[in-house]
Amino acid sequence: MTAHGAELLRTPLSDDPHRGLAVLHLSVDDGGGADGFHSVVRSLARRHDAPATPLVGALDLEHLLARQARIAESGPLYTVALLTPGRAELPDLYSRAHRRTWSTTDQWLWALASRTSADDYPPDPESTPDLVGDMVRLSADWTALALRDGAAFVGRRRDLGAADPFFGYAELHVRTVYLDAFLLGMIQRSHIDQITEHLSGVFDDTGLAGRVTAMEQRIAQFRSTYWRQHLTHHGPANDLLLAYQNQHRLPARFAEILTEATDYARLVQSQENQQISGALGILTIVGLPLGTALAVQQVLDDTNPWHLLLYVAAALVVTGAILTTRYGRLVLDSLRGRPKDR
């Protein structure tokens, strides 16, 4: 195995400003053939019966990223594999029951994208159309498949090596613009995961209006900055991005987030309207008796200050009596933002 380079992409979140993604560009010797390449992909996915991870020694991630980044997660890696046939055609991976509806290329696409073997996950022949539903047919020469934890590109004709200019450009596209499609999808998924987590705790404490406002700002920022369903003007990169989004249900999840945030905003607006109505009701309950008392004093032309205090006291008594009625209690509950049925 050879490492051609490593990339670091900073993808900050509001809760984790130092978060990022590391991209490692590798190639595998063809001495082991397609089966050896498949074994390496399964090792990177940490399958239970796969060989130990090949990222050791000079290829150890901690060594490669020393003084550049700290590995915070040690789970299986997302793999993007490119396999092209050599002198011999690719062998079948699954039983004859699959070969009637599943071509050899499709078998390898599924095996490399899912990082599984027939022992890890024997697919049901009846479900093969669903398993490769997000396949992207790039051309007659190669095909791609994007799944939740991996993606695969498989050539349909013999690779002539250095004398084959097409697959050289194909590898370049996989390591650049097609890889960018998956990276953008990963960034979108991490932001949607964080927003979903924040939405689940919106009622955990007081100050609902402030949290809903902050949530709306976070959603608007994500939507204007990261939520794209087209990476280029046209081409397979857009199809790969849509396939990744579909695998993680990102469009549906984001639509649910928008609906939920709209419901919370409507709830906050309703509470604010109730509080405004309650404040107006309090002004009415307090102002009407007091205004009536002062009007009576003015009509009687009574300038005695003690009588003024008596009128004000009477108005307060009437106000207190009104507040004990059903209407008064509704006004107070509306002012608190907790309307009750009485």
Side-chain angles (χ1 to χ4, degrees), residues 113-124:
S114 64
R115 298 96 62 86
T116 62
S117 65
D119 296 329
D120 300 326
Y121 180 82
D124 182 2

Side-chain angles (χ1 to χ4, degrees), residues 53-200:
T53 176
L55 300 181
V56 295
L59 294 180
D60 180 72
L61 291 179
E62 296 284 357
H63 172 76
L64 287 173
L65 304 178
R67 287 184 281 181
Q68 301 294 331
R70 178 175 57 86
I71 306 298
E73 300 178 3
S74 58
L77 308 177
Y78 190 93
T79 55
V80 179
L82 169 63
L83 175 65
T84 55
R87 294 181 179 179
E89 295 183 354
L90 296 175
D92 287 313
L93 284 170
Y94 298 110
S95 64
R96 293 183 180 273
H98 295 84
R99 298 173 195 172
R100 290 193 297 268
T101 57
W102 216 359
S103 68
T104 303
T105 301
D106 294 350
Q107 294 177 37
W108 279 99
L109 281 170
W110 166 255
L112 293 175
S114 64
R115 298 96 62 86
T116 62
S117 65
D119 296 329
D120 300 326
Y121 180 82
D124 182 2
E126 299 294 333
S127 63
T128 51
D130 298 328
L131 295 178
V132 295
D134 284 314
M135 184 183 298
V136 179
R137 300 189 182 277
L138 302 170
S139 70
D141 293 316
W142 62 328
T143 310
L145 176 64
L147 297 181
R148 288 180 57 85
D149 300 314
F153 297 80
V154 175
R156 292 180 172 272
R157 63 166 177 80
R158 180 185 173 187
D159 186 353
L160 301 178
D164 194 328
F166 174 80
F167 281 122
Y169 280 109
E171 180 182 357
L172 176 64
H173 280 71
V174 170
R175 296 189 185 276
T176 54
V177 63
Y178 296 163
L179 176 62
D180 289 344
F182 298 116
L183 293 176
L184 178 58
M186 294 176 194
I187 294 171
Q188 292 173 345
R189 188 187 68 172
S190 63
H191 280 271
I192 288 178
D193 288 344
Q194 185 193 53
I195 294 173
T196 302
E197 183 178 353
H198 287 174
L199 280 174
S200 64

